[in-house]
Amino acid sequence: MAIRSLLLPLALLVLAASSAAVANLEIGFYRTTCPDAEKIVRQEMAKIIATAPSLAGPLLRLHFHDCFVRGCDASVLLESTEGNVAEKDAKPNKSLRGFGSVERVKAKLEAACPGIVSCADMLTLMSRDAVVLAKGPFWPVALGRRDGRVSSATEASNELPPASGDVPLLAKIFASKGLDLKDLVVLSGAHTLGTAHCPSFADRLYNTTSENGTSGLVDPSLDSEYADKLMLKCKSVDDRTMLSEMDPGSFKTFDTSYYRHVAKRRGLFRSDAALLFDTTTKDYVQRIATGKFDGEFFKDFSESMIKMGDVGVLTGAEGEIRKKCHVLN
C-alpha cells in the first residue's frame, strides 16, 4: 500500500510534465521569479475554506467555466465594460461565485511578487487546493499560463456544456477541448461539491414532455422520491431563491457519493442522469458507485484536471499578467 501511494504522485507528476510540455507549461515555473507562489495560494485558500467550506465547489466551478471558453486564460474573471458583455454575465455564469476570494488571493500574490503570477495560473492552483481542502486528491499543476484580453458572454453561452445536455452533445463539446468520454464522466464527479439554483434543474420537475406530447411532467429518469423532495424546495422553474445540494449530505466533501446518487437516478441535472444512458459512462458510474474504487476515481480526476488545465492556454508573450483579475491592465 505504501509503494502504491508513492507511485500515484509520481505517475501524476510524469503526466503533468508530459502534458505541460505540449502546452508550453512547466512544473515549478515560478521557482526563481516568485518561489512562494504556490505556498501563498495554498495558505490563503486554507483560510478561505476554513471560514467558508461551501466555497470549494464554486471555486472549482470557476476554473471549469474558464477553461471551456477560450481556454484557461482567466477570461471568466473579467468584468463587462461599455460595449462588451463579458463571460461572467452570460446566462450560464450568472450563478458563479468566489470572485471575492480570487481577488483576495491575487492581492497576496501581488504584494509578494508584483506583476509575476497570472490570474489564470492562480485560478488553476486555487481549484486544485479547493479539492484538496475538501478532502480530495492532490495533483501537480504545471504553470506558465498568461491572462487573456478577450471575454465574451456570447462565446460563454455557446461553448459551456449545458446542464441539460445529453452525452452525445456533451462528448462533442468535450472533444472540441481535447477531452474524451472518460474525462466527461470523471469531471462530472466535480458535482460532489457545491449547490445549484432551481432554474438549472427545475425543468426536470415541471417541464418534461412525454412521448405522446403531454407536457408539465416530472422527468421519468429522475427518482420519484427524490423529485418530491426537490419540489419542496423549488416551487417553480423560475424560483431563483432556493439552492439544492448537488451531492446531498456531502456537498462540502470531495468523495464518490455523487456517483451513488447518479446510479440511483438521483443526479440533480439532466446531464447527470444522461450518464446512465451511455454504455461507457454508465459502466464508470456504476463501478465508482460501489465505493470500492475511490482511489481509482481520485487518480482519474487528477489526470482529467491536469488535461483540462492545459486547454487553450496562452504562454510566452501572449496575453498579459493582470494586476487585478477583474480588469485588464
Side-chain angles (χ1 to χ4, degrees), residues 204-242:
R204 301 186 71 196
L205 305 175
Y206 303 105
N207 277 1
T208 297
T209 301
S210 67
E211 292 182 0
N212 63 14
T214 304
S215 59
L217 303 177
V218 176
D219 183 351
S221 69
L222 185 63
D223 175 75
S224 58
E225 184 178 333
Y226 184 45
D228 289 342
K229 290 181 179 179
L230 291 175
M231 284 179 174
L232 293 175
K233 288 189 174 183
C234 298
K235 303 300 183 182
S236 74
V237 175
D238 299 318
D239 187 345
R240 299 181 181 277
T241 59
M242 296 302 295

Side-chain angles (χ1 to χ4, degrees), residues 3-324:
I3 294 176
R4 180 183 176 85
S5 65
L6 288 172
L7 289 178
L8 178 56
L10 179 60
L12 288 175
L13 189 61
V14 171
L15 173 64
S18 175
S19 181
V22 176
N24 292 319
L25 301 176
E26 180 185 351
I27 300 291
F29 180 81
Y30 298 109
R31 67 173 66 88
T32 58
T33 55
C34 190
D36 289 333
E38 292 196 46
K39 179 181 178 182
I40 292 169
V41 174
R42 183 171 63 252
Q43 290 180 339
E44 204 60 26
M45 277 295 294
K47 296 175 185 176
I48 290 168
I49 300 302
T51 303
S54 62
L55 273 177
L59 290 171
L60 178 57
R61 186 175 176 226
L62 268 180
H63 181 50
F64 272 74
H65 282 230
D66 182 39
C67 292
F68 270 86
V69 184
R70 290 189 165 265
C72 309
D73 68 345
S75 53
V76 74
L77 304 177
L78 287 169
E79 297 278 1
S80 294
T81 59
E82 186 176 353
N84 181 67
V85 183
E87 290 174 32
K88 68 185 298 185
D89 289 319
K91 186 177 179 179
N93 287 337
K94 288 288 189 179
S95 59
L96 290 178
R97 296 192 297 129
F99 295 103
S101 296
V102 168
E103 294 299 342
R104 170 177 166 175
V105 177
K106 179 61 171 173
K108 290 287 185 179
L109 287 169
E110 286 297 307
C113 316
I116 298 297
V117 182
S118 70
C119 297
D121 273 345
M122 183 190 74
L123 185 57
T124 306
L125 288 170
M126 288 178 70
S127 67
R128 189 270 312 274
D129 292 344
V131 170
V132 172
L133 291 164
K135 301 183 180 179
F138 172 92
W139 62 90
V141 174
L143 302 168
R145 299 166 190 77
R146 289 173 65 86
D147 300 325
R149 294 192 176 101
V150 177
S151 184
S152 165
T154 300
E155 289 183 0
S157 295
N158 291 338
E159 296 183 27
L160 286 170
S164 59
D166 58 16
V167 170
L169 173 61
L170 297 174
K172 182 178 179 180
I173 295 172
F174 270 63
S176 72
K177 309 301 176 185
L179 302 171
D180 58 28
L181 197 56
K182 183 175 181 180
D183 295 315
L184 166 58
V185 66
V186 168
L187 291 175
S188 293
H191 289 170
T192 185
L193 294 175
T195 56
H197 288 86
C198 294
S200 63
F201 62 85
D203 65 309
R204 301 186 71 196
L205 305 175
Y206 303 105
N207 277 1
T208 297
T209 301
S210 67
E211 292 182 0
N212 63 14
T214 304
S215 59
L217 303 177
V218 176
D219 183 351
S221 69
L222 185 63
D223 175 75
S224 58
E225 184 178 333
Y226 184 45
D228 289 342
K229 290 181 179 179
L230 291 175
M231 284 179 174
L232 293 175
K233 288 189 174 183
C234 298
K235 303 300 183 182
S236 74
V237 175
D238 299 318
D239 187 345
R240 299 181 181 277
T241 59
M242 296 302 295
L243 291 170
S244 287
E245 299 172 7
M246 293 193 288
D247 184 3
S250 181
F251 76 106
K252 297 178 186 177
T253 303
F254 192 94
D255 54 27
T256 58
S257 61
Y258 160 80
Y259 291 102
R260 286 185 279 284
H261 287 299
V262 173
K264 294 176 181 177
R265 299 191 300 118
R266 295 189 170 199
L268 190 60
F269 304 121
R270 289 189 188 273
S271 59
D272 296 324
L275 298 176
L276 294 180
F277 292 89
D278 175 90
T279 302
T280 300
T281 56
K282 179 181 180 180
D283 287 349
Y284 190 86
V285 167
Q286 293 182 331
R287 177 179 173 82
I288 303 303
T290 64
K292 299 177 181 179
F293 304 99
D294 289 13
E296 178 181 322
F297 167 62
F298 276 27
K299 174 179 175 291
D300 291 342
F301 189 82
S302 299
E303 291 176 350
S304 291
M305 286 296 290
I306 289 170
K307 287 176 65 177
M308 189 186 75
D310 293 348
V311 170
V313 297
L314 302 175
T315 59
E318 299 173 309
E320 64 181 15
I321 305 296
R322 288 183 222 141
K323 294 180 175 63
K324 294 183 178 180

